[in-house]
Amino acid sequence: MVGKGLRELDVSYEAAPDLDALYRAVAERSSTLPGDAWVLGAGHDQNKIGAHPTAEGLDRAAAGRPVWLVHNSHHMAVASTEAFRRAGFPDLAAVPAVAGGHVARDADGRATGLLQETTAMHLVERLLRPEPAADWTANIARGARAAVEVGLTSVTEPGIGVVHGIGNGPADLDAYLHTRERGELTVRMTVMPYITALHDCGAFEPGNDWYGLGLGLRSGFGDEWLRVGPTKIMADGSLIGRSAAMCCDYHDTPGTRDSCSSSTSS
């Protein structure tokens, strides 16, 4: 996901230190794209720029193109009106509520663009995954280079194997293998299968049913450069995104103590 963000429009605080700069960056990228291509970006932080971008603001900046900007926490994203339309929601008031996530709305009940947590993000992001294998291996290679550039020699990828939530799809491990075979996996990788990639595999041996990835594959498989690690489980939301369930309201965001509390799982 780091590599994917680096290959897309950079809307981090360093590149776009306020909302106006973010919208300008979206407009500039939009002007370079062919046809009705998406503007894809990553890295914004409402804590630093004052607020989340909105669908309305992105509509103006991108002249009606579909826009998808992922928050720097990866726990939320903002979509333009056209992105919602392509996802099957031409009426922003009809964007459904989702269990385990939150659709931000204005006083009239219309979605403002912000989708919190992967279950809500999937309303739109399902149109963008799985990415072509060539793009995903390029993301892995770019992320590996970024790690080496800051002195990291080993990295854990928290969630592969599913098209919703975290990861790109069931071919994720294959993409890592291809990247390694081309000599572009420059860091030691431990990859964590996302919990929903596991399934009931039936009888493993007499009296012992197996729940896992199939083929008897388990944590520890691999070598020093690419290894299958533990399972990734999403237990709650993001503190930085104000979506994790709390006992009291967030100090700077009243009324949000449990906006996504139904995301909690065992």
Side-chain angles (χ1 to χ4, degrees), residues 22-72:
L22 182 149
Y23 289 134
R24 284 196 301 272
V26 169
E28 291 169 4
R29 175 59 63 90
S30 176
S31 68
T32 69
L33 296 175
D36 59 353
W38 287 68
V39 178
L40 302 176
H44 77 276
D45 182 355
Q46 86 287 359
N47 297 294
K48 294 183 178 181
I49 63 176
H52 289 285
T54 64
E56 182 179 1
L58 295 176
D59 296 343
R60 291 193 299 268
R65 284 184 184 275
V67 183
W68 181 249
L69 302 181
V70 177
H71 190 264
N72 70 337

Side-chain angles (χ1 to χ4, degrees), residues 2-258:
V2 169
K4 176 177 168 61
L6 289 171
R7 298 180 66 235
E8 296 176 345
L9 176 64
D10 183 5
V11 289
S12 65
Y13 176 72
E14 291 74 19
D18 54 44
L19 269 176
D20 288 341
L22 182 149
Y23 289 134
R24 284 196 301 272
V26 169
E28 291 169 4
R29 175 59 63 90
S30 176
S31 68
T32 69
L33 296 175
D36 59 353
W38 287 68
V39 178
L40 302 176
H44 77 276
D45 182 355
Q46 86 287 359
N47 297 294
K48 294 183 178 181
I49 63 176
H52 289 285
T54 64
E56 182 179 1
L58 295 176
D59 296 343
R60 291 193 299 268
R65 284 184 184 275
V67 183
W68 181 249
L69 302 181
V70 177
H71 190 264
N72 70 337
S73 69
H74 292 278
H75 279 258
M76 59 194 70
V78 180
S80 68
T81 301
E82 176 62 11
F84 279 110
R85 187 194 69 78
R86 293 193 185 190
F89 309 112
D91 180 2
L92 293 182
V95 178
V98 293
H102 179 68
V103 178
R105 303 181 190 274
D106 63 18
D108 297 321
R110 301 175 74 252
T112 62
L114 176 65
L115 300 173
Q116 295 177 284
E117 296 308 323
T118 55
T119 49
M121 292 167 65
H122 190 61
L123 293 171
V124 173
E125 196 170 34
R126 59 187 168 80
L127 299 178
L128 302 171
R129 294 186 187 175
E131 290 189 25
D135 288 343
W136 203 247
T137 53
N139 294 343
I140 295 169
R142 182 65 186 90
R145 290 200 304 274
V148 170
E149 287 166 3
V150 296
L152 296 176
T153 61
S154 61
V155 176
T156 298
E157 178 69 41
I160 67 167
V162 294
V163 72
H164 64 279
I166 302 172
N168 191 51
D172 279 344
L173 185 58
D174 180 68
Y176 278 95
L177 287 167
H178 277 293
T179 308
R180 178 184 174 179
E181 288 163 1
R182 293 205 301 263
E184 295 177 334
L185 190 63
T186 51
V187 291
R188 292 171 173 82
M189 291 294 310
T190 298
V191 294
M192 299 173 65
Y194 194 56
I195 182 63
T196 53
L198 277 64
H199 57 90
D200 186 355
C201 299
F204 179 61
E205 60 184 7
N208 186 5
D209 289 340
W210 182 266
Y211 184 76
L213 296 172
L215 299 178
L217 185 67
R218 63 176 178 83
S219 298
F221 179 83
D223 57 25
E224 65 171 322
W225 284 100
L226 182 59
R227 181 184 300 272
V228 175
T231 299
K232 166 70 175 184
I233 301 175
M234 186 76 75
D236 200 359
S238 158
L239 292 172
I240 193 173
R242 308 296 191 269
S243 59
M246 305 293 284
C247 62
C248 303
D249 286 355
Y250 287 92
H251 179 71
D252 61 351
T253 318
T256 57
R257 73 175 70 179
D258 58 357

